[in-house]
Amino acid sequence: MATEQAAETWDHDLDDLFTDIGHRFGRVEPRRRMRAYVRGLLAPVARKNSWQLAEHAGHATPDGLQHLLSRARWNPDDIRDDLQAFVAKSIGRPDGVLIVDDTGFIKKGTTSAGVQRQYSGTAGRTENCQIGVFAAYASSTGRALVDRELYLPKSWTTDRDRCRAAKIPDEREFATKGALAKAIVLRALASPLPIAWVTADSAYGQECRFRRMLENAGVGYVVAVPKSQFTVGCPRIDHLFAQAPQDAWERRSCGQGAKGQRMYDWAAIQLPAVAEFDYQGRELVRRRWALARRSVSKPDEIAYYLAYAPLDAGVDDLVRVAGTRWAIEECFQAAKNECGLDQYEVRRYVGWYRHITLAILAHAFLAAMTAQAREKGAAPVRKPRSSSSPWRKCGDSWQLALPSTPMPTPTR
C-alpha cells in the first residue's frame, strides 16, 4: 500500500511539473512527446536513446521523439527557466550555492556539434568529445543541475559551413568556458533561485574577470585557484600558506561523503580589503579570505581557495561552501546514470540543447522527490588559536598583517 501511494504521489507531482511547462509547447503533439520523453528518462530503460524511449512509450517508431528533438517548435531555454523556478520552489533555501563545472561527452566521428579531440576531465585524458559547461544548485535540502551551455572550440566557430551543417546559429561565436560560465551565473542570479554563494574549480576560479563579476553582483564566493595564484599582499598563494604556523591548521569536515565525513586540515586567513569592491560608501560590507585544504593522509597535497564573503561569515561557512563543490559531480553521476544525460544520439546543436535540458529537468524532478525526505546539517568545527607575524589573530579568525587599500573618499 505504501509503495502504491508513493507511486501515485510521484505521478501526481510529475503531472504537475508537466502542467507547469506545458504552455511552452504550442501544439498538443510535442507536449505529449515531451511527457513521454521525460517519463522514459526517469524509467528503468537500459539505453535512453530515441529508439528505446519510444519503445517504452509504446510508439511503433522513434520518429515522433526524434522530431521533438530536431524539428518541433519549442525553445529549450524556456524550459530551463521553468526548471530553475521549479528547483527554487522545491529545494531553494537562503543558504543556496551555485556550482559551476564542465563535463565531457565522448563521441565518435566529427559531425556532432562542438566535437573534437580535447581534454575531458570526466575521462581524465584527451578524447574525441563534446564539452558542456553546467551549473548545479545545492542547498541544505538537495542539489540539482539548473543550466547548461555547449562549448564550441575555435575549430568549429571559424568554419561557418561546418556550423551551418550542424544547425549552429550564425550569431553563435567563439566563447571560452569561462565566458559561458559567466553567462550561466548571471542568468541564475536573475532567476528565482535564492543564491548566497558561488563556487567553482580552479579552471574558473583563477579567472579574475569571473571573480570580479561575482563581486560586482554582490554575491559571495569560494573558488579553487592554482598554487601559483597571486592574491592581495602576496605574489603566490602557496607562499602565503607556507608561512602559516602549525596551529593555524584545523581538522574540519567539509561535508558528508560516500564514506562518511570528508575530513581535511584547513587554514584560513583574512586578506586586506579592496576599497573598490569591499565598501559601500565608507562602510566595509565584504571580507576577503584565502583558504588552504591539506590532505590528512598525504600532507603534501594542498588545495587553495580565494573567498569573498559577508562580514558575518566565518571559516565554518567558507569550508562548507568549498565542500559543496562536490555536489555537481554527484549531479553529473546521477543525471548520467539515472536520467540518460550522456546517452543521446543527436548530432545537431539544437538536439543537444533539447535532450540535455529535458535530462536535467528529469534529474531536477528526482532531486525534488528526494528532498522531501532529506535534510542536511553542518558539522561542528573548532576555532583557531593564536599565531605570529605575518599571520595575526583577530577575534575568531586570522588576518594577514598587511595594510588594506585606502577607503574611497566620499564624493559630494
Side-chain angles (χ1 to χ4, degrees):
M1 180 65 68
T3 302
E4 291 178 0
Q5 291 176 348
E8 290 177 1
T9 300
W10 176 293
D11 284 340
H12 181 270
D13 290 345
L14 188 56
D15 283 339
D16 285 346
L17 176 58
F18 289 152
T19 300
D20 290 341
I21 67 175
H23 69 286
R24 302 298 190 179
F25 299 85
R27 300 178 60 190
V28 67
E29 291 88 349
R31 187 158 54 244
R32 288 174 177 170
R33 290 164 181 166
M34 176 275 295
R35 288 172 174 251
Y37 199 88
V38 174
R39 285 188 179 277
L41 292 174
L42 290 166
V45 178
R47 180 73 181 173
K48 296 179 180 179
N49 54 38
S50 294
W51 279 93
Q52 295 198 24
L53 294 181
E55 182 179 358
H56 176 269
H59 298 177
T61 72
D63 294 351
L65 298 186
Q66 290 173 351
H67 185 271
L68 175 73
L69 297 182
S70 59
R71 299 181 300 278
R73 297 186 63 179
W74 61 283
N75 189 342
D77 288 349
D78 292 337
I79 304 300
R80 176 207 59 211
D81 294 344
D82 291 339
L83 158 67
Q84 292 181 349
F86 172 75
V87 171
K89 180 180 178 181
S90 57
I91 64 172
R93 296 293 183 274
D95 64 347
V97 181
L98 190 74
I99 314 155
V100 176
D101 201 358
D102 52 72
T103 189
F105 303 91
I106 297 176
K107 293 294 171 183
K108 296 180 180 179
T110 60
T111 58
S112 296
V115 71
Q116 75 166 23
R117 286 191 60 80
Q118 52 193 326
Y119 180 77
S120 167
T122 308
R125 59 184 180 274
T126 299
E127 287 281 359
N128 196 62
C129 65
Q130 295 167 301
I131 298 293
V133 180
F134 287 79
Y137 180 82
S139 72
S140 56
T141 57
R143 66 279 309 269
L145 296 170
V146 294
D147 207 345
R148 71 291 174 264
E149 286 288 353
L150 178 62
Y151 170 69
L152 297 179
K154 288 184 178 179
S155 64
W156 276 83
T157 56
T158 57
D159 188 342
R160 300 317 302 182
D161 290 337
R162 190 184 187 194
C163 285
R164 292 187 186 102
K167 301 299 181 182
I168 297 171
D170 288 340
E171 60 270 20
R172 177 68 192 269
E173 298 180 349
F174 175 74
T176 65
K177 296 170 190 172
L180 296 176
K182 286 176 62 178
I184 285 173
V185 171
L186 289 174
R187 281 199 298 262
L189 293 176
S191 78
L193 291 167
I195 299 169
W197 301 88
V198 173
T199 186
D201 68 12
S202 60
Y204 302 95
Q206 67 182 330
E207 289 196 20
C208 178
R209 287 174 293 184
F210 182 75
R211 301 195 307 272
R212 288 291 176 264
M213 178 266 293
L214 297 174
E215 292 166 12
N216 287 330
V219 63
Y221 65 73
V222 181
V223 293
V225 294
K227 64 180 181 181
S228 58
Q229 181 75 40
F230 69 89
T231 186
V232 181
C234 186
R236 287 175 58 111
I237 195 169
D238 60 341
H239 292 174
L240 173 63
F241 282 96
Q243 304 174 57
Q246 185 56 40
D247 60 358
W249 296 89
E250 283 285 337
R251 189 154 298 174
R252 306 172 185 264
S253 168
C254 60
Q256 183 75 24
K259 299 180 179 179
Q261 295 294 325
R262 296 194 300 266
M263 302 298 298
Y264 292 91
D265 290 331
W266 292 83
I269 184 171
Q270 293 182 30
L271 300 175
V274 176
E276 182 181 359
F277 298 100
D278 303 348
Y279 288 86
Q280 287 183 357
R282 296 181 63 85
E283 182 182 358
L284 181 68
V285 294
R286 294 276 177 174
R287 181 173 289 128
R288 294 174 183 272
W289 298 77
L291 290 84
R293 187 198 73 203
R294 187 174 66 190
S295 170
V296 175
S297 58
K298 299 178 180 179
D300 291 338
E301 294 184 1
I302 302 177
Y304 301 96
Y305 302 83
L306 291 178
Y308 184 68
L311 296 183
D312 59 354
V315 179
D316 299 4
D317 301 297
L318 305 181
V319 170
R320 175 184 65 84
V321 175
T324 303
R325 192 177 68 81
W326 278 292
I328 196 169
E329 300 294 343
E330 297 171 357
C331 287
F332 286 147
Q333 183 177 1
K336 290 178 178 181
N337 291 344
E338 305 296 333
C339 304
L341 183 71
D342 60 344
Q343 296 178 20
Y344 57 90
E345 294 179 349
V346 295
R347 294 181 178 178
R348 292 179 174 178
Y349 182 85
V350 66
W352 187 90
Y353 274 92
R354 289 180 173 188
H355 169 83
I356 294 296
T357 302
L358 294 179
I360 66 175
L361 178 70
H363 176 257
F365 177 75
L366 290 180
M369 295 298 97
T370 303
Q372 294 179 0
R374 183 173 65 183
E375 194 70 36
K376 294 179 64 176
V381 295
R382 298 188 301 274
K383 301 294 183 181
R385 296 178 293 275
S386 60
S387 179
S388 58
S389 181
W391 290 57
R392 179 176 298 167
K393 185 74 181 307
C394 182
D396 291 334
S397 62
W398 297 78
Q399 286 185 331
L400 186 62
L402 292 172
S404 302
T405 58
M407 286 191 298
T409 302
T411 56
R412 295 183 181 272

